[in-house]
Amino acid sequence: MFRVTREPIDLQELVKYVTAPSAGAIATFIGTTRNKNEGRKVIALDYDAYPEMAEKELARIGEEAKKKWQIERMAIIHRIGPVEITEPSVIIAVSAAHRDDAFQACRFAIEEIKKTVPIWKKEMFEGGEVWIGTQTGQPLASR
């Protein structure tokens, strides 16, 4: 399950999807919108994406994770559109026979998402808004 959505993400849906009889561990990562960034009071984030390409890249990350670790299943859902403070913008769930593989694959997935998936983030804060980050995960130089 690899997709982008404008709807709130249901953690239980992902956990149910990755649950398998052979899995002794399920690791999850939930990226949420926080209310502060670089001294600014953040109101919300607004994500934009090229959905078809983003979903294809999310699936590639899942396939690469399966080659690197002994995982059973992986699910990644990323929000697009406005995401309010405390709401999840991305959830990753990974099942494996053992926790170490699940944790490592989960960490790998979020790092790869920040580097390669065509999803862009605009931070809306008191007094303005700014596009932040790039597909390489590095902050933009001029702010």
Side-chain angles (χ1 to χ4, degrees):
M1 172 189 303
F2 303 99
R3 69 176 191 245
V4 295
T5 182
R6 291 191 176 279
E7 303 301 318
I9 306 170
D10 179 3
L11 172 63
Q12 290 307 312
E13 177 188 5
L14 281 85
V15 170
K16 184 177 179 182
Y17 179 82
V18 301
T19 298
S22 57
I26 296 175
T28 59
F29 172 81
I30 305 171
T32 60
T33 302
R34 65 178 181 269
N35 65 358
K36 293 179 184 173
N37 188 38
E38 298 186 358
R40 296 185 293 256
K41 183 174 180 184
V42 176
I43 299 166
L45 296 176
D46 191 5
Y47 289 91
D48 197 2
Y50 176 6
E52 295 83 5
M53 185 178 283
E55 289 177 347
K56 188 174 179 179
E57 187 63 15
L58 293 173
R60 184 203 58 81
I61 291 169
E63 289 303 313
E64 193 170 332
K66 279 190 171 188
K67 291 176 186 171
K68 291 178 177 271
W69 295 280
Q70 292 184 358
I71 62 173
E72 296 295 326
R73 295 181 182 157
M74 176 180 277
I76 305 172
I77 300 179
H78 201 299
R79 287 274 302 269
I80 55 174
V83 181
E84 301 296 323
I85 303 300
T86 73
E87 288 185 346
S89 55
V90 61
I91 299 181
I92 300 165
V94 181
S95 62
H98 303 287
R99 67 181 179 272
D100 192 48
D101 287 318
F103 279 131
Q104 289 189 53
C106 198
R107 175 68 185 247
F108 168 78
I110 190 60
E111 298 300 335
E112 284 296 303
I113 288 169
K114 296 223 173 243
K115 289 179 191 170
T116 66
V117 179
I119 296 175
W120 303 278
K121 177 170 58 175
K122 182 167 49 176
E123 181 181 279
M124 297 177 301
F125 56 90
E126 287 185 346
E129 59 187 38
V130 63
W131 288 98
I132 59 174
T134 66
Q135 286 177 293
T136 62
Q138 301 300 312
L140 296 173
S142 59
R143 283 199 234 181

